[in-house]
Structures are given as C-alpha cells and as structure tokens.
Amino acid sequence: MSYIELAADLRSAIEQQDTAAIRHLVAEMQLADLAEFIQHEQEDTTLSLLDYLPLDERASAFGYLEEETQSALAAEMDDATLAELLHHMSADERADLFKLLDEARQQGLLRRLAHAEREDIRKLASYEEGTAGALMTSEYVAVPAEMDVATALEKVRRTGPNAETIYQIYCVDDEGRLTGTLSLREMILANPHATLASLMVEELVVAKVDTPQEEVARLISRYDLMALPVTNGGERLVGIVTYDDAMDVAEEEATEDMHKSVSVGKLEGGLRSASLFDLYRKRIVWLVLLVFANIFSGAGIAYFEETIEAYIALVFFLPLLVDSGGNAGSQAATLMVRGMATGDVRTRDWARLLGREVSVAIALGLTMALAVSVVGIFRAGTEIAMVVAMSMVLIVIMGSLIGMILPFLLNRLGWDPATASAPLVTSIADAVGVLIYFAIATAVLGLPA
C-alpha cells in the first residue's frame, strides 16, 4: 500500500480506536512515513503511536521529526523515558535532541546515561551550529593502519552494528590520526594477511570540525562520497558526516536561499509550523525598505511630468518597459546567485561574465524591442514606437547588468549574495528604467529636459 492509503487507514483506525488495526498499520509504515503522519498530530496521539514501535525503531522514527515537534514531545516525557530514547538514538541525532532541552533537563538526563554516552553528547553538543562538528556522528569504524585484513574484518564485525555506516573503513595511527581509508569491498576481496596500510588510499578528502556545513555538503557531492571524515586541529579523526545528512543540509541551504531570493528571512521549523508573527516579522523589513526604494521610480516620473503631459501615450508602455528590465535583472541575479552557491561562478570570473552578459542582454533587448515596436506603431505611431524600442534595448541591458553585478558586489562586501533578491533587483531596475525611458523620450521627441 502507498503512504496515502496507509495514512488514510491509520486515520480511520485512530478515530475508531481500533488498537489492533493501529498496531498493524504502524508496523506496515516506513519510519519516515510514520514520522510525516504524526508530525500533524497532538502530542498525546503522537506518543501513543510511537509506543507501538520497538524502542530502536521508535528512536529512529523520532529522528525524522522536526525539531519543534521533538522538543514538544520531549517535554511530555519523564526523564527515565527520554533517557531510554536517547540511548537508542544515533549519536548525531541524540546530540541534536539534547541541545533542544533546557540546561536543567540536560543535567538530569546526563545522570541517567552511561559514561561513554555522556561524554559523546558533551563533545558533539559543544560544536558550533552550522559546522561539520555539529553535523557529524561519532559512530564510525576506525582500525589501526598496521592491522592485517583478517583481524580488521573481525573488528568490523564487532563494532559495525553500532556504526552509522560500515562501507567505508578509516585507518588511523596509534594516536588516532587519520592516515587513510578503504572500502569494505576492498577489504573483503583482499589477501587476509595483507596490512591495511598497503591497501588504503592516502589521498583523502577531509573536513575540519569548524568547516561550514554547506562546504561539507559540497565536498560530499563533488567527490561522490558515502561519508566525509572530520578531523580536529591535530588531524585526529573525531567523526564522519554521511551523505544523507549532507542532503539535509543541501535542502536547508537551498530553501534558505530561495527565501532570501524573495526577501523572506529564514523560517525556523518550516512554513507549516511558523507562527503568524514569524511570517510577518520575516517579510516586513524588506517590504518596507523596498517601499522606499520604489520612491525613486515615483521621483523619476515626477521629474518628467512635462514629457508625460505632452505625450500621454508614453504611459501605456511604462509598465511594459520597467517590468521587462526587472524580469531580465531577476533572471541574471538568479543565475549568478545559484552559480556562486554551487561554486560554478567565482569572484575572479566577474570580467568574463560581464562581457557575456552584455552580449546576451543586447540580443534579448533587440528581440524584445522588435516585438514591442509593432505594438508601438499601431498604438501611438512611429515616433513613440522608436522611443519604446530604443528604451527596451537599454532597459533590458541595464536590468541584466544590475542583476549580474549586485551578487558580486554583495559577495565582495562579505554579505550573502542571495540577498540580491528578485524584489531588490526589480526595484532598482524599475527606477533606472523610468529614467532611461523618459530621458530617451524627451531627447527623441524634441521636448525640453
């Protein structure tokens, strides 16, 4: 059965209080699907549904929940129940949940955990959010580089059940420094008496504990890694970041950039759980600023009042022209911001991209001018059509250049290029477009400036 069918049946079973059906359906659902279902339920219903799962599966399902839901559910559990849940969670998810709790609750839970778990939580929770240290897990398989394959495989069998992944084996020296890596497949096919040092790959892609999480995701994507090793300042292996965690980071970063592209701040917990006040607060600042930015467009229109009075037909083409400039600028800005985010575009590429953008913008402007000139001739005559066509070319060129240059400028100032959002580019391009249009009209139609 599909998730939609299972969810509908589970909803019906809950309404009918059919315990046997609930137990069966909960067991049938994938843990990620169950987490999606209970995300929308009240805390007491969610906890009762989780109780139908074995403890290890309950811990896994809990890890799929959003932070806000985890925090609310943790508040409903007593310390003993929550400590038992933490014990069965993966190391990185356990640390993430631990950081959501207040300090008094944290101390009470630490007293109920084993010494190794306490130290692991303290270590993982100490790293700054948004870094590889905060993202990594300490559950990995590391073996001495001088160990032979047969002995190493035996160690993998002992430690593998608790590891996040066993497909990549990390080789360390006597002090725990990372010296190389090899795959489980290579170990299985190798001579049992060969040492790992003779088989391992020594040219490694590694992150530091303070490496930004978006850089971690980029490295995993670029080199097609199952997991990325993380070292401390002394090159000692302290954890790994797996590809699934990197995918979550990539999605989070893409969502944040998309929000910025429409002048919306980061929404903690997502759109569905955001409060009305948060939605208002995240949107109002930029909207107010852009209101004042649009005053420049109004000032430009006011400056050319005499031109407008003499040729009222010019007003008909004003929205068409300024919107074209804003649209061209938004396209250019989106391409630049995305290129910079993926590493495809760098600051040193500025001059080469500028030349290309000018060429493309000229071609776009000429094509759009040709299309609009036909409308101009039928609507207002040849002179107005010539003004509109000339304006279209220049406005599209200027809009495209604004959209391309602004992300580079913001990046040079140390700001996020995603701030070069569509509304900001459009507002600037609108003001420039108004000035270009009426300046050309004034000059071509022989009116006083």
Side-chain angles (χ1 to χ4, degrees), residues 165-213:
T165 177
I166 63 171
Y167 300 113
Q168 203 68 25
I169 310 300
Y170 300 97
C171 304
V172 296
D173 62 16
D174 293 338
E175 297 181 5
R177 290 191 293 262
L178 181 64
T179 58
T181 182
L182 73 162
S183 68
L184 180 61
R185 179 177 182 273
E186 291 170 324
M187 286 183 63
I188 293 173
L189 297 177
N191 186 327
H193 303 294
T195 63
L196 300 183
S198 65
L199 302 171
M200 67 185 186
V201 176
E202 299 182 28
E203 297 178 358
L204 303 175
V205 180
V206 181
K208 303 289 187 181
V209 290
D210 57 354
T211 300
Q213 64 177 16

Side-chain angles (χ1 to χ4, degrees), residues 30-210:
Q30 296 285 340
L31 295 180
D33 290 340
L34 179 62
E36 174 65 22
F37 179 87
I38 64 180
Q39 192 77 49
H40 309 288
E41 301 298 313
Q42 296 295 325
E43 283 83 1
D44 55 346
T45 303
T46 297
L47 289 172
S48 66
L49 289 174
L50 288 174
D51 284 340
Y52 285 98
L53 294 172
L55 195 51
D56 57 339
E57 293 184 11
R58 190 184 313 166
S60 297
F62 203 88
Y64 284 110
L65 299 174
E66 294 178 0
E67 288 186 354
E68 185 175 324
T69 303
Q70 288 187 355
S71 182
L73 294 178
E76 298 294 320
M77 300 179 187
D78 57 46
D79 283 356
T81 302
L82 186 54
E84 189 175 28
L85 184 70
L86 286 169
H87 173 72
H88 286 82
M89 292 180 75
S90 62
D92 53 339
E93 292 178 347
R94 180 168 56 211
D96 290 340
L97 175 57
F98 183 79
K99 286 188 286 188
L100 298 176
L101 308 175
D102 60 63
E103 187 174 353
R105 191 82 191 275
Q106 289 177 348
Q107 296 305 316
L109 288 169
L110 287 175
R111 289 192 290 270
R112 293 177 177 272
L113 296 173
H115 175 73
E117 290 174 339
R118 289 201 303 270
E119 294 306 308
D120 189 58
I121 285 179
R122 286 195 177 107
K123 180 181 71 174
L124 294 179
S126 66
Y127 296 111
E128 184 181 354
E129 283 297 320
T131 63
L135 192 63
M136 71 183 186
T137 178
S138 57
E139 296 174 333
Y140 56 90
V141 177
V143 293
E146 298 306 317
M147 186 176 285
D148 63 54
V149 170
T151 308
L153 282 172
E154 183 58 37
K155 183 173 182 179
V156 171
R157 293 187 185 97
R158 293 196 312 270
T159 61
N162 296 322
E164 186 88 5
T165 177
I166 63 171
Y167 300 113
Q168 203 68 25
I169 310 300
Y170 300 97
C171 304
V172 296
D173 62 16
D174 293 338
E175 297 181 5
R177 290 191 293 262
L178 181 64
T179 58
T181 182
L182 73 162
S183 68
L184 180 61
R185 179 177 182 273
E186 291 170 324
M187 286 183 63
I188 293 173
L189 297 177
N191 186 327
H193 303 294
T195 63
L196 300 183
S198 65
L199 302 171
M200 67 185 186
V201 176
E202 299 182 28
E203 297 178 358
L204 303 175
V205 180
V206 181
K208 303 289 187 181
V209 290
D210 57 354

Side-chain angles (χ1 to χ4, degrees), residues 309-320:
E309 289 176 0
Y311 290 88
I312 196 66
L314 292 171
V315 176
F316 175 82
F317 298 96
L318 179 60
L320 181 151

